[in-house]
Amino acid sequence: MKLYEALGLEPALALHMEEVKKHFYERSRQWHPDKFSRASAAEQDLALEMTAVLNDAYRTLRDPVSRAEYFLKERGIELSKDAPAELLEEVFELNMALEELRDGDASVRAQLEQSAAKFRSMQMVSDTELASLFIHHDAAPGPAKLDQIRAALNRRRYVSNLVRDVEKELHVHSAN
Amino acid sequence: MAYSEKVLDHYNHPRNVGSLDKADPTVGTGMVGAPECGDVMKLQVKVNPTTGIIEEAKFKTFGCGSAIASSSLATEWLRGKTVDEALAIKNTDIVNELSLPPVKIHCSVLAEDAIKAAIDDYKKKSAHV
Ligand code: FES
């Protein structure tokens, strides 16, 4: 896995932020373009390219969600295409309330804020769930565990999109 | 990408928007969602239990124009059909009727799934009465 290699890390799902950061700083110093100011053009290019890869690796691997998405993708696993069925009813209600808000009915604000809070806490639960799935996976990797991770990631992504949408609407319609 | 005439027509004048009483044993409710775009669709049918004919169909869709048009068209088609005829409606029929471009095919799939889900729900409910 290219991004792990770039940072000199073993491919694993559970990583400490500090560790990723340490590796990133070390490698970045090593490849800093300033150090190559008197090197050949080819070496300068390489230094630039390595710096870009390192930045990409750091950005992707420091965040647990993007790290896991990358990890699954490298293993050839696509995020699933099913919307979490158990959430549909609520999402529908949420959309109804959003529509009323857009039509100028401010009385639904409280309801929307409540759902946003609820989805935010679901997001936190997902994060904890993912963290423990990561540890289990690293201890004994296997397709079944990757599949669980995929489902959890999918759900988390769906929920965080919802939170984003609701917050945006609440914000847009707060002025009037 | 331009929407076809028919899509625009359904989008601007959606037929049968609304909802039926979920608790009614002759009403089947289908709720489906597309994760890529976050769109959700609710489609309901009211079936005459003696004839098995769909007497009313309603929908409410939060989504793109094609999804709204697909579900609006679906409700038009459903009315007057038997439950089994309804199950025979394919998303490709919707694609053809509305001339949906390839990137909008999943929107019609959503409508087909909603029909199936609604009929399924009705069948489950009527099996209990
Ligand atoms: S883009 Fe989501 S249903 Fe059409």
Side-chain angles (χ1 to χ4, degrees):
Chain A
M1 291 195 194
K2 189 173 140 222
L3 298 184
Y4 283 91
E5 269 164 41
L7 289 176
L9 290 165
E10 285 298 318
L13 281 171
L15 285 182
H16 282 293
M17 257 258 277
E18 285 309 314
E19 203 192 346
V20 181
K21 202 174 181 177
K22 202 179 103 214
H23 279 248
F24 172 66
Y25 282 146
E26 273 170 21
R27 299 259 158 155
S28 299
R29 222 171 294 130
Q30 194 182 326
W31 287 101
H32 198 287
D34 284 357
K35 282 197 176 166
F36 292 80
S37 55
R38 270 187 288 267
S40 70
E43 278 174 317
Q44 287 190 8
D45 283 352
L46 180 65
L48 269 180
E49 198 193 315
M50 280 308 289
T51 306
V53 173
L54 285 171
N55 282 321
D56 188 20
Y58 183 51
R59 223 179 300 120
T60 309
L61 299 184
R62 73 176 163 187
D63 171 62
V65 171
S66 63
R67 184 195 313 141
E69 283 175 356
Y70 171 71
F71 194 97
L72 290 184
K73 207 169 121 218
E74 290 290 300
R75 290 275 147 96
I77 299 170
E78 296 265 344
L79 282 194
S80 92
K81 290 239 186 283
D82 300 320
E86 71 280 9
L87 293 181
L88 282 178
E89 196 85 31
E90 226 160 325
V91 173
F92 191 84
E93 290 306 320
L94 186 73
N95 275 294
M96 286 292 249
L98 282 176
E99 192 172 82
E100 280 161 40
L101 182 72
R102 267 181 238 122
D103 287 346
D105 179 357
S107 69
V108 291
R109 277 195 83 85
Q111 184 196 337
L112 282 169
E113 265 151 19
Q114 238 173 36
S115 352
K118 185 169 164 201
F119 284 122
R120 260 196 302 271
S121 72
M122 276 174 146
Q123 210 174 319
M124 273 158 59
V125 173
S126 281
D127 287 342
T128 336
E129 188 192 354
L130 276 171
S132 97
L133 284 171
F134 287 175
I135 294 170
H136 282 128
H137 167 273
D138 290 348
K145 286 182 185 148
L146 284 179
D147 210 50
Q148 275 178 307
I149 291 172
R150 182 180 74 154
L153 270 181
N154 200 51
R155 196 183 154 88
R156 191 196 179 281
R157 194 177 49 162
Y158 194 77
V159 170
S160 59
N161 284 346
L162 280 177
V163 171
R164 193 201 51 209
D165 291 351
V166 177
E167 281 173 351
K168 196 173 83 202
E169 293 274 351
L170 282 172
H171 183 75
V172 168
H173 295 275
S174 63
N176 34 47
Chain B
M1 183 207 60
Y3 281 123
S4 74
E5 284 289 316
K6 281 183 182 159
V7 172
L8 284 177
D9 182 38
H10 276 280
Y11 181 71
N12 290 323
H13 314 281
R15 335 283 200 258
N16 311 312
V17 175
S19 68
L20 300 167
D21 179 11
K22 238 183 109 168
D24 182 337
T26 66
V27 168
T29 303
M31 181 87 89
V32 290
E36 310 96 77
C37 52
D39 293 347
V40 271
M41 181 183 287
K42 183 167 93 171
L43 192 148
Q44 294 180 299
V45 291
K46 186 172 169 61
V47 184
N48 180 322
T50 35
T51 58
I53 285 176
I54 297 169
E55 293 183 329
E56 243 186 300
K58 295 259 181 219
F59 84 96
K60 177 79 191 163
T61 293
F62 296 101
C64 72
S66 303
I68 292 175
S70 299
S71 37
S72 169
L73 176 68
T75 54
E76 268 192 334
W77 279 353
L78 285 171
R79 211 191 277 240
K81 281 203 167 50
T82 65
V83 165
D84 292 326
E85 284 166 351
L87 285 176
I89 297 176
K90 289 272 158 297
N91 85 291
T92 43
D93 304 334
I94 299 173
V95 171
N96 291 338
E97 174 69 18
L98 297 175
S99 330
L100 293 179
V103 291
K104 291 280 151 181
I105 289 181
H106 81 271
C107 320
S108 68
V109 172
L110 209 56
E112 182 187 325
D113 289 349
I115 297 175
K116 301 234 145 67
I119 304 275
D120 243 32
D121 183 50
Y122 165 72
K123 283 190 169 168
K124 260 187 223 133
K125 272 168 140 183
S126 56
H128 292 301
V129 263

